[in-house]
Amino acid sequence: MTLSQNDTIAAVATPPGQGGIAVIRISGPHARACIQSVFFPSTAEKKPATHRAEHGWIRDNGEPIDEVLVTWFQAPSSYTGEDVVEISCHGGTYVAGRILDLIIRQGTRPARPGEFTERAFLNGKMDLSQAEAVADLIHARTEAARVVAAYQLEGRLSDEIARMRELLTETCGLLELELDFCEEDVKFSSRDEMDRRLQTLQSRLESLLGSFARGRICREGIRLVIIGRPNVGKSSLLNRLIEKERAIVTDVPGTTRDTLEEMLDVEGVLFIVTDTAGVRETREPVEMEGVRRTRQAMDSADMILWVLDNHESWHPEDAVLMQKLQELKVPGFCVINKCDLKTRLQAEPAGQHLPEWPVLSVSARTGAGLDRLIQALKNRALSGDLPGEGELLITKARHADAIRSCLNHLDNARKTAEQGLSQEFIALDLRGALDALGRITGQVTSDDILNRIFSDFCIGK
């Protein structure tokens, strides 16, 4: 790392702003020493016990700063594995900042983003996948995100990776043992048995890799883009979905000139809903830019709601959108809006074919059909319910890439064995597979990877 782990670090661990309390966290070999000169406990106890809060005052050269509770966590039984002191003071940006400045003057340095959790990883308090889960739990915005992060923090992914590495290590060890006794032609396991083991590993890894799509949706949410020609009710539908007047709605076509994003929590599943400008041919510069941004949003969409007007016939703009949707191959729904009005929309325009999407009728004005649409969105996003007890999902592209690398090495090892090539080549691929799995939990890693992971954390965690 770029900074010494022997430093004592400090940071405010709670969000800025007013509140009941704020917490200042200190970690490192001099954590206790730096607090002793500024904290004056209410009792005369000389040796405070670890994991026990003490009441007292923080003072700066005798001046009272704040009435606080101070808790000392003796190494290694702390979050970071080092001596840790946590100061609970009254909430407020100024008070917490004043105490932190005082602590810095005692010989600590400000912590980098994620440095407390980074030290927990480096000191063996958690592996890398669990450290990543800490950040995911902090940033969780839905129940699905919380469940997946909590399972990973608990160590379920770590345990599964450990079991697979153990099986792979045992297989690799037997193979390398045979290499040591190659002159005696000793066999410690049959080639059929080794192939069965590797096939079992491949099956488990493919199942885990197959969970990435759902895991990513649980963690990041799904980008849902509402499209359609002007004045079909896209903004009205957005307002109805999020249950507030977020988008401006008028009878004038082309009111929406830019994309507008809002979050929608559907029974624990996060949707990032984007309202877009109506797509039509125009020479008006601002509207042209809105249409360009609409097409850009469509290209990055995970799912699309194509809104049509039940009270109007097909327009040429509908055919243009239909062609674009056929090219995108993104899942979605045809939403026939204004179902409370007289039907003038035919089943399908002449010579055109609708995307093979479910068709749902709604009224953004009255709310009719909205419950069915919302349930259909959730079912399509997760293909079922939230992650259940014991279900393991991977949520990060880094993990998925490592699993693909491991599968590639296992496939090469099996092909090498089938071709009757030297055992050294098989052992080399098995070692590569081991290293790939080790990258998930941090047994094999680099400073660049660690810096990239922990830089996404907030300061104080």
Side-chain angles (χ1 to χ4, degrees):
M1 314 314 309
T2 55
L3 296 174
S4 173
Q5 199 183 346
N6 294 324
D7 295 343
T8 298
I9 58 175
V12 179
T14 45
Q18 294 182 340
I21 64 168
V23 176
I24 295 97
R25 176 179 281 170
I26 311 166
S27 180
H30 305 298
R32 286 192 67 195
C34 79
I35 193 67
Q36 285 174 340
S37 59
V38 298
F39 174 60
F40 295 83
S42 302
T43 61
E45 187 175 352
K46 298 296 183 183
K47 293 184 178 180
T50 182
H51 293 74
R52 181 177 171 183
E54 270 193 295
H55 172 267
W57 280 83
I58 295 289
R59 297 181 182 274
D60 185 0
N61 291 322
E63 177 193 356
I65 304 300
D66 193 17
E67 187 179 21
V68 300
L69 288 175
V70 171
T71 309
W72 167 54
F73 301 90
Q74 185 177 22
S77 300
S78 70
Y79 179 74
T80 63
E82 305 171 330
D83 275 353
V84 170
V85 171
E86 291 187 354
I87 305 168
S88 298
C89 65
H90 288 94
T93 303
Y94 181 78
V95 173
R98 176 74 186 273
I99 294 174
L100 178 61
D101 288 342
L102 183 58
I103 296 302
I104 298 297
R105 297 207 311 263
Q106 309 311 306
T108 69
R109 67 165 172 82
R112 293 179 286 110
E115 191 168 4
F116 291 97
T117 304
E118 180 182 56
R119 290 189 175 199
F121 163 68
L122 294 172
N123 291 324
K125 302 298 291 186
M126 59 180 69
D127 66 32
L128 196 55
S129 68
Q130 290 173 300
E132 290 172 306
V134 171
D136 288 349
L137 198 55
I138 291 171
H139 295 122
R141 291 177 289 187
T142 64
E143 179 63 9
R146 183 203 65 78
V147 167
V148 172
Y151 285 171
Q152 189 169 318
L153 180 58
E154 190 181 31
R156 298 192 184 191
L157 176 60
S158 308
D159 291 343
E160 177 63 10
I161 296 299
R163 285 190 288 268
M164 288 192 280
R165 289 191 91 238
E166 184 179 0
L167 181 58
L168 193 52
T169 300
E170 183 180 335
T171 305
C172 192
L174 290 174
L175 188 63
E176 291 183 350
L177 196 58
E178 289 181 11
L179 289 173
D180 291 338
F181 291 90
C182 59
E183 294 182 0
E184 288 83 359
D185 196 27
V186 177
K187 298 291 183 184
F188 292 94
S189 66
S190 68
R191 287 293 169 267
D192 287 343
E193 174 61 24
M194 184 185 73
D195 190 66
R196 279 194 295 271
R197 288 182 176 215
L198 298 185
Q199 195 171 6
T200 298
L201 272 172
Q202 282 182 308
S203 178
R204 289 162 66 177
L205 285 165
E206 286 166 357
S207 176
L208 200 54
L209 184 61
S211 73
F212 177 53
R214 286 187 69 207
R216 184 186 66 83
I217 287 171
C218 289
R219 176 176 172 265
E220 300 175 8
I222 186 164
R223 302 197 68 85
L224 176 67
V225 177
I226 304 175
I227 66 164
R229 57 184 171 79
N231 218 33
V232 295
K234 300 184 300 299
S235 296
S236 298
L237 182 59
L238 171 71
N239 290 343
R240 179 64 73 167
L241 285 171
I242 65 175
E243 298 182 338
K244 62 181 179 181
E245 296 297 318
R246 181 65 176 87
I248 297 173
V249 176
T250 73
D251 292 331
V252 179
T255 302
T256 302
R257 300 296 189 96
D258 200 354
T259 55
L260 179 66
E261 269 192 7
E262 278 292 324
M263 304 298 177
L264 174 65
D265 183 348
V266 180
E267 299 179 25
V269 182
L270 179 67
F271 289 85
I272 302 99
V273 188
T274 303
D275 182 25
T276 63
V279 176
R280 65 174 175 178
E281 291 297 325
T282 178
R283 295 182 179 273
E284 204 277 314
V286 176
E287 193 172 2
M288 286 175 64
E289 175 61 19
V291 172
R292 187 193 70 80
R293 295 188 183 190
T294 295
R295 297 184 185 281
Q296 190 176 50
M298 291 169 64
D299 289 336
S300 63
D302 296 313
M303 191 181 297
I304 286 175
L305 292 184
W306 180 24
V307 183
L308 300 166
D309 190 337
N310 179 61
H311 194 53
E312 292 190 5
S313 301
W314 291 94
H315 283 236
E317 287 88 352
D318 294 322
V320 174
L321 270 175
M322 197 179 304
Q323 179 63 36
K324 176 68 174 176
L325 293 175
Q326 298 284 9
E327 295 170 0
L328 281 177
K329 302 186 184 302
V330 176
F333 296 88
C334 292
V335 179
I336 312 297
N337 189 29
K338 306 182 185 180
C339 68
D340 53 317
L341 301 179
K342 181 180 178 180
T343 299
R344 293 177 179 169
L345 187 70
Q346 296 145 3
E348 197 169 84
Q352 300 289 338
H353 296 286
L354 293 171
E356 295 181 359
W357 288 354
V359 178
L360 298 171
S361 295
V362 304
S363 171
R365 186 176 69 85
T366 67
L370 261 292
D371 288 345
R372 195 158 67 95
L373 172 59
I374 289 172
Q375 191 58 44
L377 287 173
K378 179 197 170 188
N379 292 342
R380 187 68 178 267
L382 282 184
S383 301
D385 297 323
L386 298 180
E389 180 67 27
E391 186 177 7
L392 186 60
L393 304 179
I394 59 169
T395 62
K396 294 185 177 292
R398 188 181 74 82
H399 301 168
D401 288 343
I403 290 173
R404 291 189 191 100
S405 176
C406 183
L407 283 168
N408 186 53
H409 282 295
L410 292 178
D411 189 54
N412 288 340
R414 293 183 65 195
K415 287 178 179 176
T416 300
E418 288 173 4
Q419 294 168 4
L421 299 179
S422 173
Q423 295 176 196
E424 287 93 338
F425 295 111
I426 302 174
L428 188 63
D429 269 314
L430 294 186
R431 285 294 174 189
L434 266 174
D435 287 349
L437 284 182
R439 291 201 296 271
I440 295 176
T441 50
Q443 281 96 336
V444 179
T445 189
S446 68
D447 283 356
D448 286 342
I449 291 175
L450 294 183
N451 287 332
R452 186 165 62 249
I453 289 172
F454 290 108
S455 65
D456 290 336
F457 279 60
C458 54
I459 293 175
K461 193 56 187 173

